[in-house]
């Protein structure tokens, strides 16, 4: 069963592998390296007006020339930026990933006894060898703080005018995406601040990481939001964004875009097991179109203390604390309890966005909804073993079920029903007479 | 023939149209947009509202039971209030209707019932919220049409508040975009919000809680818009319009004291118009 969820993760891997990671900011590249952002993962920990944001950094290629400019909704100081472990986000991803579960039909001649085998998970992620270079000296803008955290050189910038920041980046030979000027100006007027993160090569070598770890920022602001506008500037196509929100009260939703539950608990044909990633991608694509490209999809909403079925174990109290969950198990009081943490609700949102369909930054709110939801798809294997009784009725029922599954799959993914039917190993080799065939098809048969 | 005439007179009450449009929106939200409205909450809200209305009318000595206003409040609450706890839904309906009878100045209730209940619940509980993004942008055109239809059908009676609010709010949003140098797609997107339209057409427009003169209504609509803007874009709290209305509502008795005007009556049959207004509808 490892395979099933590995397939999900492979899907994410495919989405991420060939692309640079967007953060919430934009990458600036030296020279004319053509780069674009396509996918990103962000963890938002929020309670009251305190926010801890963790941004996964997964870009590939020659990154020694890259730096990232990140907007933050408020002024920040040096202690507010931290570097997290990438395994934390990988674990959170695995725990919340849409899952495929399978049931095996029991021997129809014995009593019916449903058992479910849970899909287990193992998140395998590609590791990328990346290098970053320290950038040049600052001119033209006030650098409030300049220091090194982990493998990163952090520059907290205070710019009154966007032109100052743009000029500073230009003077340091960073290529700025077209249109960044006006977005930065808009953000500055909204009292947002920026920091630049670059990789300190010698620190990276010393630490021995072959990849870039996620950056974390902790701040206090009424604004529960994610600035995505800068990220759309150097993106050629639509980008994938996964937002994992960890809150105390309940589910998180967007207030300026529609949050929609992804279809779930559908029975799909057996062959989906081998191509779960394809199925999931096609279904997501179809749902995106259905929402006119403006939907934010809920993939998971669950109390962090348990799961059923578990795609991965819930995160431990220590992992949650490292992600920024500050309200449970205060380490200063020496109360880090083993096992799953209480009082943490996780929401996984997935959206595909571009400038046309998501012109405004994402605004969120925490709701009081604690109802559990998961993207769960079911396959049911017919009984193929020896039987000791007349199974005509069972076999007819299974064939009908198989065709129902075909129709479900077609409606979820938009795939051709004929193609799907050809891939289904119908019991006795024949599809049931489709009920929705026109009446005249059966007339002169 | 006489029955038909009476029927027509009855339909002059704009609340019938309001109930029709709100019900359509509720049906659309449940069937097409899958709002996830819990039927238990809906039943609790509708039932409680009528019971409280009946009891309060008895207590204040009014004989003619009028279910329409409580019904409108129920639909508004069902559309806007989200909670997983049925007790909160019941509480909301109680507060909404009770506020009409308890908080009164010069024969008018001060707060729009649904507005009062929503704000109260948002303040006291983490388990109640408003899903302002759930309408999506696809539904907006149809939504706006339904709302405009409502204005036309009710012959734009006392629609100044709605128009002034929407104009002022959009001016502020577009002005902000120009100041920030943002593309116009951003304020356009911000205006395409179902909860905003619902508020503008069915909450702030409530003729029973709006000022009595047209000029005052225009000023009031613009004032609510500016407070909503401050809440939403200066101190960055969600649900700006709904909070703005509750803050601004106590000004209405003051405005009425200064300006002169007639207290709104729901139906305008000659018989009723001749009668002094005593009831609470």
């Amino acid at each position: 069963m490892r395979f099933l969820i590995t397939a999900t993760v492979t899907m994410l891997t495919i989405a991420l592998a060939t692309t640079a990671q967007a953060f919430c900011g934009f990458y600036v590249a030296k020279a004319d390296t053509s780069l674009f952002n396509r996918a990103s993962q962000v963890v938002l920990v929020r309670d009251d007006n305190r926010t801890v944001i963790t941004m996964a950094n997964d870009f590939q290629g020659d990154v020694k020339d890259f730096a990232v400019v990140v907007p933050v909704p408020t002024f920040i100081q040096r202690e507010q930026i931290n570097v997290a472990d990438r395994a934390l986000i990988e674990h959170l991803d695995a725990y919340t990933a849409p899952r495929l579960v399978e049931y095996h039909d029991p021997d129809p001649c014995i009593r019916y006894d449903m058992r479910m085998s849970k899909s287990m998970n193992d998140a395998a992620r590609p590791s990328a060898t990346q290098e970053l270079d320290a950038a040049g000296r600052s001119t033209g803008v006030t650098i409030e703080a300049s220091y090194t955290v982990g493998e990163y050189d952090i520059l907290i910038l205070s710019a009154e005018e966007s032109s100052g920041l743009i000029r500073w980046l230009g003077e340091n030979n960073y290529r700025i995406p077209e249109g960044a000027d006006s977005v930065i100006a808009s953000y500055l007027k909204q009292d947002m601040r920026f920091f630049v993160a670059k990789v300190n090569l010698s620190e990276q070598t010393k630490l021995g990481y072959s990849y870039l770890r996620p950056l974390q920022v902790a701040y206090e602001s009424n604004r529960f939001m994610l600035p995505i506008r800068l990220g759309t500037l150097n993106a050629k196509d639509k980008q994938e964004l996964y937002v994992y929100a960890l809150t105390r009260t309940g589910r998180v939703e967007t207030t300026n875009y529609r949050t929609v539950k992804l279809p779930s608990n559908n029975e799909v044909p057996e062959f989906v097991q081998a191509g779960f990633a394809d199925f999931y991608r096609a279904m997501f694509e179809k749902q995106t179109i259905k929402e006119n490209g403006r939907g934010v999809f809920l993939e998971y909403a669950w109390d962090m203390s348990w799961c059923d079925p578990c795609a991965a174990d819930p995160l431990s109290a220590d992992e949650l604390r490292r992600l920024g969950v500050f309200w449970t198990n205060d380490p200063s009081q020496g109360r880090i309890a083993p096992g799953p943490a209480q009082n943490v609700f996780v929401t996984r949102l997935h959206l595909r966005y571009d400038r046309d369909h998501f012109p405004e930054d994402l605004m969120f709110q925490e709701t009081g909804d604690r109802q559990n939801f998961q993207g769960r798809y079911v396959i049911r294997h017919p009984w193929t073993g020896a039987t000791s009784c007349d199974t005509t009725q069972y076999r007819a029922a299974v064939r009908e079920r198989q065709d129902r599954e075909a129709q479900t799959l077609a409606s979820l993914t938009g795939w051709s029903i004929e193609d799907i039917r050809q891939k289904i190993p119908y019991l006795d080799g024949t599809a049931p007479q489709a009920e929705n065939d026109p009446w005249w098809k059966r007339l002169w048969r | 023939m006489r029955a038909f005439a009476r029927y027509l007179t009855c339909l002059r009450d704009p609340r019938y149209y309001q109930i029709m449009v709100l019900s359509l929106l509720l049906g659309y939200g449940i069937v097409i947009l899958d709002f996830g409205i819990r039927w238990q909450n809906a039943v609790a809200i509708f039932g409680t509202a009528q019971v409280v209305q009946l009891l309060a009318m008895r207590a204040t000595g009014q004989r003619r039971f009028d279910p329409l206003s409580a019904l409108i409040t129920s639909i508004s609450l069902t559309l806007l209030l989200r909670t997983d706890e049925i007790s909160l839904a019941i509480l909301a309906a109680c507060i909404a209707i009770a506020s009409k009878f308890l908080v009164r100045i010069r024969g008018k209730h001060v707060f729009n019932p649904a507005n009062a209940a929503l704000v109260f619940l948002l303040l006291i509980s983490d388990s109640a919220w408003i899903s302002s993004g759930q309408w999506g942008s696809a539904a907006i055109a149809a939504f706006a049409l339904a709302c405009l239809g409502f204005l036309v059908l009710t012959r734009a009676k006392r629609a100044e508040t709605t128009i002034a609010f929407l104009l002022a709010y959009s001016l502020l949003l577009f002005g902000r975009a120009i100041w920030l140098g943002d593309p116009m797609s951003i304020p356009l997107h911000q205006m395409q919000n179902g909860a905003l339209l619902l508020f503008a057409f069915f909450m702030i427009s409530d003729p029973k809680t709006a000022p009595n003169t047209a000029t005052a209504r225009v000023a009031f609509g613009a004032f609510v818009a500016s407070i909503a803007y401050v809440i939403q874009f200066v101190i960055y709290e969600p649900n700006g319009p709904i909070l703005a209305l509750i803050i601004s509502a106590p000004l209405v008795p003051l405005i009425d004291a200064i300006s002169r005007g007639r207290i709104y009556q729901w139906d305008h049959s000659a018989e009723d118009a001749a009668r002094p207004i005593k009831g609470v509808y």
Side-chain angles (χ1 to χ4, degrees), chain B residues 11-149:
Chain B
L11 276 188
R12 290 171 67 185
D13 187 337
R15 288 179 298 175
Y16 286 105
Y17 299 109
Q18 194 164 350
I19 289 167
M20 192 182 76
V21 176
L22 282 173
S23 306
L24 275 175
L25 290 174
L26 186 60
Y28 184 75
I30 292 171
V31 177
I32 311 283
L33 294 178
D34 187 22
F35 276 5
I37 291 170
R38 303 174 77 224
W39 66 267
Q40 299 96 323
N41 284 9
V43 170
I45 289 172
F46 279 78
T48 312
Q50 293 302 338
V51 170
V52 176
Q53 173 84 11
L54 182 68
L55 292 177
M57 289 187 95
R58 286 267 170 83
T60 51
Q62 295 165 57
R63 283 185 203 145
R64 205 183 64 169
F65 176 63
D66 181 353
L68 293 186
S69 288
L71 191 58
I72 289 170
T73 302
S74 307
I75 309 176
S76 298
L77 275 180
T78 310
L79 270 171
L80 288 167
L81 177 70
R82 294 282 165 280
T83 178
D84 289 341
E85 291 172 32
I86 199 164
S87 55
L88 288 179
I90 293 171
L91 183 64
C94 286
I95 291 167
I97 305 299
S99 78
K100 281 200 299 184
F101 291 89
L102 296 177
V103 190
R104 301 179 64 82
I105 298 176
R106 293 159 172 260
K108 273 173 75 172
H109 49 272
V110 177
F111 298 112
N112 170 273
N115 186 234
L118 283 171
V119 174
F120 186 80
L121 284 192
L122 288 180
L123 288 179
I124 63 149
S125 172
D126 280 341
S127 305
W129 70 97
I130 298 169
S131 284
S132 50
Q134 67 186 351
W135 290 95
S137 48
I140 288 298
F143 196 139
L145 212 63
C147 295
L148 285 175

Side-chain angles (χ1 to χ4, degrees), chain A residues 182 185-186 189-190 222-223 229 249 251 253-258 292 294 359-360 365 367-371, chain B residues 33 84 126-127 129-134 136-138 176 179-180 182-183 185-186 189-190 235-237:
Chain A
S182 63
S186 171
K189 283 180 181 166
Q190 294 174 62
N222 273 353
R223 271 180 281 190
R229 289 177 59 198
T249 314
R251 182 173 59 80
E253 65 182 21
T254 38
T255 57
N256 55 349
Y257 297 97
R258 187 163 137 75
N292 300 306
R294 289 168 182 260
E360 201 188 358
Q365 74 172 356
T367 73
D369 185 10
R370 288 188 77 89
Q371 283 183 47
Chain B
L33 294 178
D84 289 341
D126 280 341
S127 305
W129 70 97
I130 298 169
S131 284
S132 50
Q134 67 186 351
S137 48
R176 176 177 184 266
W179 172 61
L180 293 173
D182 284 348
S185 55
I186 290 181
H189 173 78
Q190 287 163 338
I235 52 177
Y236 299 109
E237 288 287 345

